Amino acid sequence: DTGVSQNPRHKITKRGQNVTFRCDPISEHNRLYWYRQTLGQGPEFLTYFQNEAQLEKSRLLSDRFSAERPKGSFSTLEIQRTEQGDSAMYLCASSLVQGRTEAFFGQGTRLTVV
Amino acid sequence: SQQGEEDPQALSIQEGENATMNCSYKTSINNLQWYRQNSGRGLVHLILIRSNEREKHSGRLRVTLDTSKKSSSLLITASRAADTASYFCATGLMDSNYQLIWGAGTKLIIKP
């Protein structure tokens, strides 16, 4: 399968714990995006990478959130000191730099903070 | 705040009927995209229409774009039970070459 892969699919954690999610984009895609989606809502943009450079970070993203894409391939999203309000689906997407701009999404990681 | 607003929020029709969903947006766009999401799953890209295009077809899907009214519609013809999903519009902004702004989606139910 050469689509976008996210791990884990589900994560349950206690409030205050740190969690890390991984995204493996489509191999030839330079752009990688992280979104958060809560029930009944559309995705909210969190951050964007072009290759290994993090070019934009949403104002919604508190200092507890950090994302990396060390070699311009896979990316990780870490949430420190999780809060119940962090419970959501975290979606990763990738796309090509040039040409068509549709994004290809992974299946998401559903985070539940208890 | 979200850019796109889908209408209706929910739509329930009989299999075989056509389904029409609308999307309105606020700012100038480079393109508008429609995505489908099955319950608890990721989003699947359906169709992209650029700001200089007025209509686009893909299989049973027909998308229109009216930039003067800042609105788009997605028509699914001859609906099938497998079309049951949430449908989202996402706008690619004119002053951004990467960010998509999303609406809250239309939940479509196709009754067999």
Side-chain angles (χ1 to χ4, degrees):
Chain A
D1 187 352
T2 57
V4 178
S5 175
Q6 289 188 248
N7 289 288
R9 289 292 307 278
H10 304 273
K11 178 72 176 178
I12 300 174
T13 190
K14 290 184 178 179
R15 190 169 42 187
Q17 297 293 306
N18 299 344
V19 293
T20 300
F21 310 141
R22 177 177 170 127
C23 172
D24 288 272
I26 294 172
S27 59
E28 61 266 29
H29 286 182
N30 299 74
R31 296 182 177 183
L32 185 146
Y33 317 81
W34 284 99
Y35 289 88
R36 179 172 63 192
Q37 186 180 25
T38 53
L39 200 62
Q41 298 297 315
E44 290 180 297
F45 171 77
L46 294 179
T47 191
Y48 153 68
F49 290 86
Q50 183 164 313
N51 299 312
E52 66 275 9
Q54 187 175 18
L55 297 186
E56 188 69 22
K57 193 174 171 180
S58 168
R59 288 188 290 272
L60 298 173
L61 220 58
S62 76
D63 291 341
R64 296 184 296 106
F65 288 71
S66 62
E68 293 183 342
R69 194 182 183 196
K71 296 182 180 179
S73 56
F74 73 92
S75 175
T76 58
L77 176 69
E78 181 184 16
I79 309 174
Q80 296 181 324
R81 305 181 303 282
T82 52
E83 302 171 357
Q84 284 190 320
D86 297 332
S87 295
M89 175 80 87
Y90 289 84
L91 295 165
C92 175
S94 68
S95 71
L96 289 167
V97 173
Q98 295 179 340
R100 299 164 71 184
T101 58
E102 64 266 36
F104 295 82
F105 281 80
Q107 298 284 22
T109 294
R110 181 166 294 285
L111 173 66
T112 302
V113 181
V114 297
Chain B
S1 63
Q2 291 177 319
Q3 155 94 312
E5 292 183 6
E6 286 91 342
D7 169 52
Q9 290 185 328
L11 179 61
S12 181
I13 61 173
Q14 290 294 138
E15 193 168 19
E17 294 180 339
N18 296 342
T20 299
M21 289 159 273
N22 303 297
C23 170
S24 59
Y25 58 91
K26 298 172 185 172
T27 61
S28 296
I29 63 170
N30 174 275
N31 65 79
L32 186 144
Q33 304 178 33
W34 285 91
Y35 288 79
R36 183 186 72 220
Q37 186 176 39
N38 291 86
S39 181
R41 308 294 293 273
L43 292 118
V44 175
H45 179 264
L46 295 176
I47 198 163
L48 179 153
I49 185 166
R50 300 197 184 279
S51 58
N52 61 352
E53 297 175 310
R54 292 295 167 260
E55 188 170 313
K56 209 159 182 182
H57 297 255
S58 177
R60 293 184 295 115
L61 306 181
R62 173 177 168 253
V63 167
T64 62
L65 179 64
D66 187 335
T67 52
S68 66
K69 295 181 179 177
K70 291 186 167 56
S71 67
S72 172
S73 68
L74 170 67
L75 168 67
I76 304 174
T77 60
S79 62
R80 304 168 183 170
D83 295 330
T84 294
S86 291
Y87 291 82
F88 294 88
C89 71
T91 50
L93 302 182
M94 188 67 85
D95 60 354
S96 168
N97 64 356
Y98 66 87
Q99 189 174 156
L100 293 176
I101 308 296
W102 298 77
T106 292
K107 190 174 177 65
L108 175 65
I109 296 173
I110 307 299
K111 295 177 286 187

